[in-house]
Amino acid sequence: MADGEKESPDAPTSYDEAMEALSSLITKRSRGNNSNKGNQFDLLFHYLKILELEDALDDLKIVHVAGTKGKGSTCTFTESILRNCGFRTGLFTSPHLIDVRERFRLDGVDISQEKFLAYFWWCFNRLKTTCFTLILYHIHAAEFGRYGQERTTEDVPMPPLFRFLTLLAFKIFSAEQVHKYWFHLQHCLSCLSSETQLNWDLICYSFFVQVDVAILEVGLGGRFDATNVVQKPVVCGIASLGYDHMEILGDTLGKIAGEKAGILKRGIPAFTVQQPEEAMCVLEDKASNLNVDLQVVPPLDVNLLNGQKLGLEGEHQYVNAGLAIALSFTWLKRTGHLELANQDHTDSLPEQFIKGLTAASFQGRAQIVPDQYVDSEKDGDLVFYLDGAHSPESMEICAKWFSGAVKGEHQSDKAKPQVSSSTHQLKKNIMQILLFNCMTVRDPELLLPQLMKTCASQDVYFKKALFAPNMSVYHKVGTHALPSAVPEADLSWQLTLQRVWDNTMQKDKGREAKQVNHVAEEMKDDTGKGGGSHESSSVVFPSLPLAIKWLRDTVRQNQSVRLQVLVTGSLHLVGDVLKLIRK
């Protein structure tokens, strides 16, 4: 719906209503259920027809990216590069951290609530009405000619959540540009006499211009992912591969690579990064069978940034940036923008590329957020380091980033003059805290020891580990709003995580244990609440708000303490923490 257009009187307008409707699309199936493995994939083409998106999808000039680690960052870099080259961009990523609108970015900005509602209800109501009509048709046919073979709603369902959101992205990206010309069009029409006969469809078509490029991040896997309904991408990319979602994608790197390679299309150029041998062999074999020119790109050479830093933190981002550069150059070349595409990027990069790489931002990935709730005189005494790592490989990368970030800050503090007064001592005892949760399908025996080991190798040791359940729930799509009351949670999983952590700690009888024992005296809890003994090296909290409260109280009550809190294990946890500290 364009700006200035009035909604029909019966159209729902509440954002909360839209979230309730969206939540109704969440399936109750477990992730490892066979129904998740390509279940009725062909229905996606039926949905495209209902929404009249078949031709529009073919017209979109798409960059399609799969991978285990870094696919979201690669998409973010690619979008930023092409936007800084002057193109109108649409970016679809998942999951969202706080608000579902984060998944749909137009020209680098989350779609507005007004536009989201207009597109959401158009798609939702059209699908709902059509699916319901088909159900009635099949029931009627069963009663009058196929008695005993009634078809149920399972045969013609509404699309589940991610499939619906993918369809919604296609609708937004294919229709959004028309808004730019809406007011100009209204002005033109007002200048015409009432007798003038106008072919409205022709006028709308004349003003219909899509986004120049749509960048799509695969949600899960590739072969049966909803984004793979795209048949004619301009270029494909496969980011770093590793072990994740094994209950769906398979228990070997070869099987996982085979699913990821499902996005490759015959004759369409594709790029990947250096992969483990088992995975690379599968990728190369799949590419060869499809006559795909699969090229392996190296990490970005830092010297090509002319002294500037990537917009996304972490050494691993140079791998993702290298892939994004290759995808961007190929997109430019294949869409006829040769003035930029023909430049040799081995020795230098176009200024637009450098600006795109250094200006890129991606929430919840290697993100540093000082807590604003603490008194201003103690600004920086509580800092959250957020990263949604949830696989062994990404946990190692996260640990390296966190260690480098806190050590860099410590070195910076040492360079500053230490000023003291009778009321405030500026020299701080800096402590690293872990705030962790992960989904029950993850193996904490792989995640937590990897995190602890990698940090210890960088001489960084956690003084305390906090475990708390997420606030967001599987069966409901949330918004920025915090829940009015935190329901009682089953803490059995958090207690399991705590046991894994404590057992891992016990295996280290050296410096780490001494560090923790020393800090226990300085970080005693005075609130008497929170769940568990706060003088131990780990604590289970019954809720995330209580964990945040304890961190804030610790800083207030210990003026010599500065806490650096790593929040990781789950993007849902990261999103919930961002909600709490930004409220």
Side-chain angles (χ1 to χ4, degrees):
M1 184 183 301
D3 297 334
E5 182 179 355
K6 294 183 179 179
E7 295 185 58
S8 59
D10 58 344
T13 57
S14 166
Y15 195 63
D16 289 336
E17 285 182 273
M19 294 304 100
E20 288 292 335
L22 198 54
S23 297
S24 72
L25 302 179
I26 298 176
T27 62
K28 300 302 186 290
R29 297 169 176 144
S30 64
R31 288 178 14 162
N33 188 293
N34 284 333
S35 60
N36 287 308
K37 301 177 181 179
N39 182 40
Q40 297 182 306
F41 181 79
D42 288 344
L43 272 178
L44 282 162
F45 298 96
H46 186 59
Y47 297 139
L48 288 176
K49 187 173 183 179
I50 292 173
L51 297 175
E52 300 176 359
L53 287 173
E54 295 168 300
D55 293 338
L57 185 58
D58 286 341
D59 290 339
L60 282 175
K61 295 179 173 54
I62 291 171
V63 177
H64 198 192
V65 183
T68 306
K69 312 180 298 293
K71 63 183 187 294
S73 297
T74 298
C75 288
T76 299
F77 278 131
T78 304
E79 185 278 333
S80 186
I81 289 171
L82 294 176
R83 173 162 44 87
N84 278 280
C85 286
F87 298 100
R88 192 151 196 273
T89 59
L91 174 63
F92 178 61
T93 59
S94 61
H96 64 274
L97 299 184
I98 299 177
D99 193 300
V100 70
R101 293 181 295 113
E102 298 166 22
R103 297 178 184 235
F104 315 93
R105 305 195 83 184
L106 295 167
D107 296 328
V109 179
D110 297 351
I111 189 172
S112 70
Q113 190 173 116
E114 179 185 9
K115 290 176 179 177
F116 174 84
L117 285 173
Y119 289 123
F120 172 84
W121 287 117
W122 188 91
C123 291
F124 188 88
N125 290 335
R126 195 175 184 92
L127 286 167
K128 193 79 171 178
T129 301
T130 306
C131 289
F132 181 70
T133 301
L134 287 172
I135 292 170
L136 292 180
Y137 170 80
H138 290 310
I139 292 175
H140 180 78
E143 291 175 347
F144 294 93
R146 295 192 298 109
Y147 184 75
Q149 301 179 34
E150 293 86 356
R151 296 186 66 175
T152 68
T153 56
E154 287 298 315
D155 294 315
V156 280
M158 283 286 286
L161 179 64
F162 185 76
R163 288 186 177 182
F164 176 84
L165 293 174
T166 303
L167 295 165
L168 180 57
F170 295 150
K171 175 62 178 176
I172 291 170
F173 296 159
S174 64
E176 174 55 25
Q177 179 66 24
V178 72
H179 296 170
K180 182 177 180 181
Y181 302 100
W182 185 259
F183 289 116
H184 177 67
L185 177 59
Q186 285 186 318
H187 174 72
C188 292
L189 293 177
S190 67
C191 297
L192 297 173
S193 65
S194 59
E195 291 81 12
T196 303
Q197 297 297 314
L198 298 174
N199 186 326
W200 179 252
D201 290 338
L202 182 59
I203 290 178
C204 286
Y205 185 81
S206 299
F207 282 89
F208 190 94
V209 184
Q210 300 167 336
V211 294
D212 298 309
V213 55
I215 300 99
L216 306 180
E217 177 194 1
V218 167
L220 192 156
R223 183 162 61 112
F224 292 125
D225 187 74
T227 61
N228 206 32
V229 74
V230 171
Q231 299 298 298
K232 300 177 182 178
V234 174
V235 61
C236 297
I238 298 179
S240 300
L241 299 179
Y243 291 100
D244 198 13
H245 303 297
M246 291 181 289
E247 72 280 8
I248 299 174
L249 305 180
D251 56 1
T252 69
L253 279 178
K255 292 177 181 178
I256 292 171
E259 293 298 318
K260 305 290 184 180
I263 71 166
L264 302 179
K265 301 297 185 295
R266 183 169 298 278
I268 302 297
F271 295 86
T272 189
V273 299
Q274 191 60 51
Q275 306 283 5
E277 183 178 0
E278 180 182 356
M280 186 64 79
C281 288
V282 173
L283 294 182
E284 290 174 343
D285 183 61
K286 296 285 186 181
S288 176
N289 291 337
L290 292 170
N291 191 30
V292 169
D293 180 19
L294 178 66
Q295 298 184 43
V296 180
V297 297
L300 168 66
D301 182 350
V302 64
N303 295 317
L304 296 182
L305 293 177
N306 296 338
Q308 301 185 61
K309 291 177 58 178
L310 286 176
L312 305 185
E313 295 281 345
E315 288 299 313
H316 61 289
Q317 293 296 356
Y318 288 92
V319 174
N320 301 326
L323 180 56
I325 290 170
L327 294 172
S328 298
F329 269 116
T330 303
W331 186 90
L332 289 167
K333 183 176 181 179
R334 299 198 74 222
T335 54
H337 301 93
L338 302 180
E339 66 279 5
L340 287 171
N342 287 336
Q343 294 190 27
D344 181 9
H345 57 279
T346 56
D347 296 324
S348 65
L349 287 175
E351 189 61 35
Q352 299 94 323
F353 276 55
I354 295 175
K355 185 175 181 181
L357 291 167
T358 57
S361 63
F362 199 18
Q363 190 171 228
R365 283 75 170 179
Q367 183 180 9
I368 303 174
V369 181
D371 186 33
Q372 301 299 316
Y373 191 79
V374 179
D375 297 338
S376 59
E377 67 174 354
K378 302 176 72 177
D379 184 39
D381 285 353
L382 177 57
V383 180
F384 293 91
Y385 297 75
L386 304 112
D387 190 88
H390 51 266
S391 70
E393 296 89 353
S394 60
M395 196 61 65
E396 180 181 4
I397 291 171
C398 168
K400 289 180 178 179
W401 161 72
F402 175 69
S403 300
V406 297
K407 289 176 72 175
E409 181 177 328
H410 182 61
Q411 293 298 322
S412 177
D413 282 349
K414 288 175 65 176
K416 296 178 183 178
Q418 303 298 326
V419 181
S420 62
S421 68
S422 59
T423 60
H424 187 62
Q425 177 74 32
L426 292 185
K427 185 177 181 180
K428 299 290 184 179
N429 186 0
I430 302 175
M431 304 176 183
Q432 287 78 47
I433 307 293
L434 174 66
L435 177 52
F436 186 93
N437 193 36
C438 66
M439 297 178 65
T440 55
V441 295
R442 310 290 180 196
D443 186 352
E445 297 278 3
L446 297 177
L447 300 182
L448 290 171
Q450 179 70 274
L451 176 65
M452 185 185 295
K453 175 185 175 182
T454 305
C455 285
S457 70
Q458 305 293 315
D459 204 27
V460 171
Y461 301 89
F462 291 101
K463 311 310 186 285
K464 191 179 288 286
L466 315 181
F467 303 97
N470 298 343
M471 294 189 303
S472 53
V473 291
Y474 173 74
H475 61 274
K476 185 176 178 60
V477 179
T479 66
H480 280 88
L482 291 169
S484 55
V486 179
E488 291 188 12
D490 177 3
L491 299 178
S492 58
W493 178 243
Q494 284 67 45
L495 291 170
T496 297
L497 298 176
Q498 183 186 38
R499 282 194 294 271
V500 173
W501 179 263
D502 289 345
N503 290 339
T504 306
M505 289 286 293
Q506 288 300 318
K507 295 176 182 178
D508 186 339
K509 302 298 183 182
R511 177 180 174 183
E512 188 169 352
K514 295 178 182 178
Q515 288 277 343
V516 171
N517 291 333
H518 169 71
V519 172
E521 293 300 314
E522 296 191 39
M523 299 183 62
K524 291 182 179 180
D525 176 65
D526 296 325
T527 64
K529 301 177 182 178
S533 170
H534 292 190
E535 296 180 30
S536 65
S537 63
S538 64
V539 183
V540 171
F541 285 89
S543 72
L544 193 54
L546 282 177
I548 300 298
K549 180 180 183 300
W550 181 83
L551 289 167
R552 287 169 169 167
D553 288 345
T554 298
V555 170
R556 292 192 187 98
Q557 295 163 11
N558 299 274
Q559 294 189 9
S560 63
V561 169
R562 174 178 294 171
L563 301 184
Q564 298 170 325
V565 184
L566 174 61
V567 182
T568 191
S570 164
L571 278 168
H572 299 290
L573 174 68
V574 168
D576 288 344
V577 170
L578 283 171
K579 282 184 184 179
L580 287 168
I581 64 179
R582 288 179 172 178
K583 66 177 182 178

